[in-house]
Amino acid sequence: QVQLVESGGGLVQAGGSLRLSCAASGRTVSSYTMAWFRQIPGKERESVARISRNGGNTYYADSVKGRFTISRDSAKNTVYLQMTSLKPEDTAVYYCAASIAAYTGNNPNAYDSWGQGTQVTVSS
């Protein structure tokens, strides 16, 4: 099973940018569908972006499309989430997740491994 560690969260003003990193160990990220989710207290975990095992397909939630970009560096065994034009409503704990399945949809239950999460706070 792959182990995931997120980093890169923090406090940023609205309109700013952050890049989240998800460093994997144990297995290569190219073996997994990799995704970013986010969650705020009292709400369900929301799918933000994902990238297919071969890296050729990506998905974005409508709320982040055009502002966030998911990418993968196989040499570093790391997945990134570049976030631009951040809004206060992007404030959440962001989680990296891995699924051995090729097709996962937006269901967090389809993911086998999770990182510990990193807090992103966007001030207005």
Side-chain angles (χ1 to χ4, degrees), residues 58-103:
T58 56
Y59 158 86
Y60 298 95
D62 286 343
S63 58
V64 307
K65 203 171 292 183
R67 301 188 297 121
F68 290 12
T69 303
I70 188 170
S71 63
R72 186 180 75 187
D73 186 334
S74 295
K76 295 183 178 180
N77 213 29
T78 299
V79 176
Y80 302 99
L81 185 67
Q82 178 69 51
M83 306 185 294
T84 64
S85 301
L86 282 161
K87 305 175 181 180
E89 51 264 43
D90 294 318
T91 295
V93 177
Y94 283 71
Y95 296 90
C96 177
S99 174
I100 199 68
Y103 303 102

Side-chain angles (χ1 to χ4, degrees), residues 2 4 32-35 96-100 110-114:
V2 65
L4 305 173
Y32 295 88
T33 298
M34 299 297 298
C96 177
S99 174
I100 199 68
Y111 289 81
D112 314 294
S113 300
W114 292 85

Side-chain angles (χ1 to χ4, degrees), residues 4-7 20-22 34-41 43-49 70 79 81 92-98 108 111 113-120:
L4 305 173
V5 178
E6 302 100 333
S7 60
L20 305 184
S21 299
C22 173
M34 299 297 298
W36 289 95
F37 287 77
R38 65 187 181 188
Q39 189 171 25
I40 60 176
K43 292 206 170 182
E44 292 186 354
R45 200 162 287 191
E46 174 192 20
S47 175
V48 175
I70 188 170
V79 176
L81 185 67
V93 177
Y94 283 71
Y95 296 90
C96 177
Y111 289 81
S113 300
W114 292 85
Q116 81 287 353
T118 185
Q119 176 71 46
V120 171

